[in-house]
Amino acid sequence: MAKFGYFLSSEEHGPKELVRQAKLAEQAGFEALWISDHFHPWLDEQGQSPFVWSVIGAVAEATSLPITTAVTCPLVRIHPAIIAQAAATTAALTDGRFRLGVGTGEALNEHIIDSRWPPAEERLEMLEEAIEVMRELWSGKLVTHRGTHYDVDTARLYTLPDEPPPVYISGFGEKSVQLAGRIGDGYISTGPSADMVSMFRTSGGGDKTVQGGLKVCYAADEDTARKTVHRLWPTQGIQGEAAQLLPLPRHFEQLSQMVSVEDASQGSPCGPDPEVHVKVIKEYLDAGFDEVYISQIGQEQDAFFDFYAKEVLPRLR
């Protein structure tokens, strides 16, 4: 049976609020958590971007739910050796409830260290090597690595979990999905594509876990909800590679001027009708996803959790 989790939005909420939402999610019957990992929000309007590892530590103590980063980029902003230490510590703290979701990232977050943003194919090479480095370090052995993209000199992790954290790989194109199938412990996507799920499984993923995520907006009426989505997440209506290439929130704000309310909210269930929410979430189940993570857009968090606990999750189950 599929699991349903809550997607904590680090772009919209500060650390204490994220911990509060994690508690509410567990009380409402959600079975797991996603949390985004950003340095900048997509837009200044979103307004937040706390350091994810501090928040995860607090969430881990506040709830008993499994936690996945959706997703961390271990390429530029933070060296994979440091991500390996952070993930190992988190996995030890949570008694194995942590899964490291990784991807090739966005210039929005990574350019702060190096203004050169590698092309997609190079980033995939970097990601594969980064995962290799992290898994070497999770062995607990003394590691020296001289690679194409990363060097590690006589490094050893001393704080380790009983088992290394699973690595789930995010992918939206053919090459990234095939990489996830070949070397990942699971696959992450934010669209209900049966073709991508199938590609992951036939590329070596087999019966490994596939996680999907979406954003919704519960509100007293559909029109209010759609306007909230358009105000906070017009970036959902931006097509193509721009999300990976633009370096600053103001660039996304400029591009978002061309996004309509309809385009921004397409694919996001809006309003108070539970059947509208259930219908879209079931698209992920029909596409073969094992776990679906839902994020509420905006400030109506308490009302959302009450709505999902009483009206949506029971219908899905």
Side-chain angles (χ1 to χ4, degrees):
M1 181 178 291
K3 292 184 177 179
F4 301 99
Y6 187 67
F7 185 178
L8 296 164
S9 174
S10 298
E11 300 92 330
E12 283 190 64
H13 306 287
K16 290 184 178 180
E17 174 60 17
L18 291 170
V19 174
R20 190 184 78 89
Q21 290 174 19
K23 293 178 184 178
L24 291 175
E26 186 167 33
Q27 293 166 12
F30 286 97
E31 300 161 277
L33 297 167
W34 263 13
I35 185 167
S36 54
D37 180 0
H38 271 240
F39 189 87
H40 292 139
W42 296 98
L43 306 169
D44 286 344
E45 178 71 20
Q46 292 171 346
Q48 294 287 341
S49 203
F51 187 57
V52 71
W53 299 103
S54 301
V55 179
I56 290 174
V59 168
E61 288 296 288
T63 78
S64 63
L65 299 179
I67 305 165
T68 305
T69 52
V71 293
T72 291
C73 177
L75 305 190
V76 179
R77 173 168 47 111
I78 305 180
H79 192 283
I82 305 304
I83 297 295
Q85 184 185 28
T89 299
T90 303
L93 179 67
T94 59
D95 295 320
R97 289 184 286 121
F98 177 70
R99 293 164 291 188
L100 178 63
V102 297
T104 56
E106 305 93 15
L108 176 71
N109 300 303
E110 307 303 309
H111 85 276
I112 62 164
I113 299 299
D114 187 350
S115 60
R116 175 188 175 269
W117 184 233
E121 191 163 337
E122 184 178 345
R123 298 202 310 274
L124 278 175
E125 292 177 3
M126 295 171 73
L127 181 61
E128 183 166 2
E129 186 177 338
I131 292 170
E132 178 187 350
V133 167
M134 292 189 291
R135 285 175 169 161
E136 285 184 70
L137 286 163
W138 292 333
S139 73
K141 298 176 181 178
L142 192 68
V143 173
T144 295
H145 175 94
R146 304 294 181 208
T148 304
H149 301 286
Y150 302 106
D151 291 335
V152 177
D153 185 67
T154 56
R156 177 185 171 191
L157 292 181
Y158 282 80
T159 299
L160 292 165
D162 293 335
E163 298 289 337
V167 179
Y168 288 16
I169 298 175
S170 171
F172 304 100
E174 182 176 319
K175 291 181 179 179
S176 59
V177 175
Q178 289 173 346
L179 178 68
R182 181 163 55 84
I183 68 171
D185 298 308
Y187 170 56
I188 288 175
S189 180
T190 54
S193 171
D195 290 342
M196 295 294 102
V197 173
S198 177
M199 184 181 297
F200 166 73
R201 300 207 182 282
T202 57
S203 298
D207 61 356
K208 295 176 181 176
T209 301
V210 175
Q211 297 181 336
L214 71 155
K215 298 185 185 300
V216 310
C217 190
Y218 169 79
D221 63 86
E222 183 178 340
D223 184 60
T224 298
R226 290 191 182 280
K227 288 178 180 177
T228 298
V229 173
H230 187 248
R231 177 173 62 85
L232 289 170
W233 287 92
T235 50
Q236 293 192 133
I238 297 174
Q239 304 297 316
E241 296 180 68
Q244 282 73 50
L245 301 178
L246 298 177
L248 291 172
R250 72 167 182 260
H251 298 142
F252 286 94
E253 289 167 5
Q254 292 161 6
L255 197 56
S256 294
Q257 299 303 311
M258 296 181 284
V259 176
S260 67
V261 172
E262 182 179 354
D263 288 341
S265 57
Q266 186 175 12
S268 286
C270 290
D273 184 347
E275 295 299 337
V276 170
H277 292 251
V278 168
K279 180 181 177 182
V280 176
I281 293 168
K282 280 189 173 179
E283 293 177 6
Y284 287 80
L285 305 183
D286 294 341
F289 285 78
D290 303 299
E291 301 178 6
V292 184
Y293 292 79
I294 299 109
S295 181
Q296 162 71 359
I297 294 174
Q299 299 302 313
E300 296 287 341
Q301 295 293 322
D302 295 72
F304 161 84
F305 284 116
D306 185 62
F307 171 62
Y308 262 67
K310 293 177 179 177
E311 303 290 346
V312 179
L313 293 179
R315 283 176 166 83
L316 290 168
R317 291 175 177 140

